[in-house]
Amino acid sequence: MVAGARTFSLEETFLSPQILNPPPTRHALLAFLLALTAVLHIGTAGWGDLYDGDESQVAAAAREMVQSQQWMFSTNNGVPLAQTPPVARWTVAASCKIFGGNATAARLPAAFAMFGLVALTFLIGERLAGYWHGFGAGLILLCSGGAFLLGRIVGPGAIFAFFITGAIYCLVRGYQHRKFRRIWFGLFWVGASLACLTKGLVALPYLAAICGLLAVFLREARLRFRPLFHWANLLLFLAIVAPWFLWAHRQFPGAVAWFPPNSTLPRWQLSLLHLVWWFPAVFLVLPGFVLRPRKILRPNEFSVAEILPLSWLLAGLFFAVIPSKDLTAALAAAPAFALLAATAWARISRTFRALGIACMLIVGCTLAAIPLWYSAIFSVTDSVWLSVRPLAQIALVSLLVFGVVAVVLVRQRGEITLVLALAVMVPVGWCLIEGRARVAPFFSLADAARYLNPRLGRNGEVILEGPLKRGNSLAFYLEKKFFFVNQTPGPQEKDAASQNKYLDEHFVLEAWDRSDPIYLIIEEDRVAHWRRLITDRVHIYHQVSTCGSRVILTNQM
C-alpha cells in the first residue's frame, strides 16, 4: 500500500510563510489577543460621556440621521454640516438604531474597528515573520496609549485605520500568492474605496505611497504589483467611490470635504504626540534604535518583512503631520510601528531590553506623578481634579510592579518579557479611560442635558452662548433642538430654518420676561455680563446648575 503525500510548489515553499496547518499555540495566542481587545474596548464602550468637538459632531449627526431617516444629509442640531464622507456616520447611525441613542452605541463602531485592527495586525505580522511576531505586534498595538485614547474617539479615525490595514493585508496576500493574486488585489481596492468613503481621498495617496516605496526597494514588488493596476480594479474603485462624491458635489457645491480638515495643533506638537500614542513600546525599543540601529534595520537583508513596516510608517507620519495635520490619522500608522517594534524587540539583546524597560519606567512614572505633584504643589481643591489622583496612584504602582518584574525576568524568552512589560498598560489604560470619563464635565455638556431634559416640557427652550463645536455634545444628549446667542451662521447655513437658530441678546431678554421656561448656558467668565443685563431688564435671574466651566441660567423660580 502506497501512502499519498502532497507535493508543494516552488512558490508555496519559498514565498508563502507557512505551508503546514498552524499549531494550537497560534490559535491560543490569537484568541487571547482578541479576548483582551474585546475587554479593553468593547467592554468599556460605555465609560464616560462624549466630548464636544468632532466626536459629538459625528455622534449627533448620526443620531439625527436615525430620527429624520435622511441617510445622505448631515445635520447637527438641525444645522447643515460640510458634507464629509459618510461611512463613519452610517456605522454610528446603524449602531444607534440597533442599541439606542447613547454613548455606548456611538462608541461601538470604533470599538469593533479596533478589534479588527488588532486582528489584522496579528495576521500581517504572521504573514511576514510568523505567528509569534504577529502576536507581539498585535499586543504592542493594543497596549499603547493611542489605542486607549485615539481608539475610543467616535469618528472616522479607527474605522479609517481598519480599512487601510485591511487593504495592506490584502496587498501582502497578493504579493505572496500568485494563484489568488487578482482576487487579493481586487480586495485591496475595496479596502481603499471604503477608506476614501470614511475619511476622504487622502487614502489614495496614502496607499500609493506605501506601494511606491515597496516598488522602489523591492524588484519583486515591481513585478508582482502589475496586476494591482488592472483596469477592472480601477473600475471597481471608481464604482464604489465616485457615486457619493459626485452626488454630494452636485447637491452641495463647495461644501464637500474631499480631504480631512486640518488640526489646529502645530506640527511639532503632533510629532511629539506620537511618543504618547506609541507609549510604552516606543521607549522599550528606543535604546536599540539609538545604540544598535544596524542590528535592527539590516540594509543588506531587505525583504517585504523589512520594507513594509518602514514604508507604511513613513507614509503614515507624512500624511498625519505634513499635508493635512490630521490628529486621528496617527492611528492608521500604529500597526506599522507595532510591526517594526516587534521586529526590534526580537533582535536586540537582553541588555538593551533591560534599558528599554528602564526608559519606560522613567517616562511612565514621570507622567503618572504629574497629577500628584501638581495637586500637592498648588494645593488643588477641585473635586474633579482630586478624583483623578487615585487613578494616577494606581497607574504609578502598576508601572513599578510590572516594570520591576519584567526587569527581573529579562533573561527569559523575549516574548515573555514583552508581555510583562506591556501588561502595565492594562491597568494604566483603564485609568486613562476612567480619567477621561471623570473630567468629561469640562469638555462635554452631557450633564447639562440630563439636568435640562426633564425640565423643558413642551414650551421650554435652551440657548447656548458659544459656537456649535463648543456645545455639540448638547445636540447628542438634549432631547430638543437649541438656539445660539452672540454667534453668526456658518457659510453652509443659508436656509431660513438654520439662520433662525441664531439670536441676539435683545431677543433673549425679551423672551426671558415671558412665562415659558428659558435656559441659557454660558461660560463662567460671562456670568457678570449676563447678570447685569438680566437684572437691569427683567429682574429675574437664577443660576441653577453648573457643568464644568459652564453655568446654566433660567427665568424660572
Side-chain angles (χ1 to χ4, degrees):
M1 185 175 181
V2 179
R6 178 186 170 193
T7 302
F8 295 108
S9 67
L10 181 65
E11 180 184 16
E12 290 176 311
T13 303
F14 291 102
L15 298 183
S16 297
Q18 55 184 3
I19 58 177
L20 301 175
N21 291 329
T25 304
R26 181 262 186 194
H27 300 309
L29 292 174
L30 179 58
F32 170 79
L33 197 59
L34 296 183
L36 185 60
T37 307
V39 170
L40 295 179
H41 285 278
I42 301 175
T44 61
W47 290 16
D49 298 318
L50 302 185
Y51 280 23
D52 291 321
D54 296 337
E55 183 176 47
S56 286
Q57 178 176 299
V58 172
R63 182 171 176 261
E64 292 186 24
M65 276 183 176
V66 176
Q67 293 173 344
S68 65
Q69 300 298 311
Q70 297 291 331
W71 300 96
M72 301 295 289
F73 186 61
S74 298
T75 60
N76 194 345
N77 189 50
V79 175
L81 299 174
Q83 297 305 302
T84 55
V87 166
R89 295 190 301 276
W90 285 348
T91 56
V92 176
S95 180
C96 289
K97 190 173 182 63
I98 297 171
F99 302 106
N102 51 61
T104 304
R107 285 198 184 99
L108 279 178
F112 282 114
M114 287 300 302
F115 186 88
L117 189 63
V118 172
L120 286 170
T121 303
F122 176 94
L123 295 175
I124 293 174
E126 180 186 34
R127 302 302 304 181
L128 295 179
Y131 58 84
W132 274 109
H133 183 77
F135 173 74
L139 195 63
I140 289 171
L141 172 63
L142 177 60
C143 297
S144 64
F148 288 106
L149 297 174
L150 298 180
R152 286 180 56 81
I153 296 177
V154 177
I159 301 171
F160 174 77
F162 169 72
F163 287 133
I164 288 290
T165 307
I168 292 174
Y169 174 69
C170 295
L171 186 73
V172 173
R173 293 298 301 266
Y175 177 88
Q176 293 178 338
H177 291 279
R178 181 180 179 183
K179 184 177 182 181
F180 300 105
R181 183 166 292 163
R182 287 198 173 184
I183 296 176
W184 285 114
F185 284 169
L187 292 175
F188 167 88
W189 285 101
V190 172
S193 304
L194 294 175
C196 288
L197 289 176
T198 301
K199 209 170 179 64
L201 295 180
V202 68
L204 201 57
Y206 190 114
L207 292 169
I210 297 172
C211 296
L213 289 172
L214 284 172
V216 167
F217 288 103
L218 296 174
R219 180 177 179 274
E220 295 84 355
R222 294 194 291 272
L223 297 175
R224 297 176 195 176
F225 284 173
R226 289 177 182 175
L228 189 65
F229 302 99
H230 191 269
W231 65 268
N233 293 332
L234 302 179
L235 189 62
L236 176 65
F237 174 81
L238 291 175
I240 298 175
V241 172
W244 184 87
F245 278 99
L246 292 177
W247 174 87
H249 180 68
R250 184 175 181 181
Q251 294 292 323
F252 313 101
V256 180
W258 300 85
F259 295 93
N262 287 342
S263 170
T264 57
L265 291 176
R267 288 187 174 89
W268 68 270
Q269 290 187 15
L270 282 174
S271 302
L272 289 179
L273 277 175
H274 283 78
L275 298 179
V276 178
W277 307 147
W278 297 340
F279 178 86
V282 65
F283 296 102
L284 291 176
V285 299
L286 185 62
F289 274 106
V290 172
L291 301 176
R292 291 290 187 274
R294 291 184 63 86
K295 190 170 183 180
I296 298 172
L297 305 175
R298 302 171 179 175
N300 296 328
E301 301 178 13
F302 273 170
S303 65
V304 67
E306 306 277 344
I307 297 300
L308 177 61
L310 285 173
S311 303
W312 188 354
L313 188 61
L314 290 174
L317 289 175
F318 176 81
F319 284 99
V321 176
I322 302 301
S324 63
K325 295 199 302 179
D326 188 3
L327 185 64
T328 58
L331 197 58
F337 169 76
L339 292 166
L340 184 62
T343 301
W345 184 262
R347 291 179 177 177
I348 60 178
S349 64
R350 293 186 177 95
T351 302
F352 287 105
R353 290 173 185 169
L355 287 175
I357 297 171
C359 289
M360 178 199 72
L361 282 175
I362 294 171
V363 175
C365 291
T366 302
L367 294 175
I370 288 176
L372 306 177
W373 170 82
Y374 182 84
S375 58
I377 295 296
F378 295 97
S379 300
V380 177
T381 59
D382 185 85
S383 59
V384 175
W385 182 260
L386 292 177
S387 69
V388 179
R389 289 185 60 188
L391 302 177
Q393 293 171 351
I394 293 172
L396 188 59
V397 172
S398 301
L399 280 162
L400 291 173
V401 171
F402 284 99
V404 170
V405 172
V407 170
V408 171
L409 299 179
V410 75
R411 293 187 177 276
Q412 302 296 322
R413 287 187 56 180
E415 294 86 354
I416 297 175
T417 311
L418 181 63
V419 170
L420 289 172
L422 295 176
V424 68
M425 285 303 293
V426 175
V428 170
W430 275 325
C431 290
L432 289 174
I433 297 170
E434 179 62 21
R436 190 177 188 270
R438 293 187 183 186
V439 301
F442 288 94
F443 305 98
S444 173
L445 287 170
D447 287 343
R450 296 189 189 100
Y451 174 84
L452 294 172
N453 281 331
R455 293 172 170 82
L456 287 175
R458 179 177 297 179
N459 298 322
E461 300 294 349
V462 177
I463 304 172
L464 173 69
E465 185 181 39
L468 177 60
K469 192 169 185 177
R470 280 281 293 140
N472 49 20
S473 59
L474 204 62
F476 181 76
Y477 289 100
L478 196 67
E479 295 175 358
K480 294 186 69 173
K481 299 291 190 294
F482 57 94
F483 295 88
F484 302 93
V485 63
N486 294 330
Q487 299 295 312
T488 56
Q492 71 273 16
E493 302 171 57
K494 301 178 180 179
D495 59 296
S498 297
Q499 294 184 352
N500 288 338
K501 292 182 179 296
Y502 292 85
L503 313 176
D504 58 20
E505 292 180 352
H506 178 73
F507 188 94
V508 173
L509 293 175
E510 284 188 348
W512 202 268
D513 200 20
R514 302 170 190 165
S515 59
D516 292 337
I518 301 292
Y519 293 90
L520 175 64
I521 303 175
I522 61 175
E523 293 286 347
E524 283 181 340
D525 57 4
R526 296 282 291 173
V527 169
H529 171 79
W530 280 100
R531 183 191 295 118
R532 179 179 56 80
L533 286 180
I534 294 172
T535 55
D536 289 348
R537 178 75 175 265
V538 297
H539 309 291
I540 304 174
Y541 175 87
H542 299 286
Q543 182 174 320
V544 293
S545 184
T546 60
C547 181
S549 62
R550 268 76 72 92
V551 178
I552 303 177
L553 310 179
T554 183
N555 64 345
Q556 301 298 297
M557 297 297 293

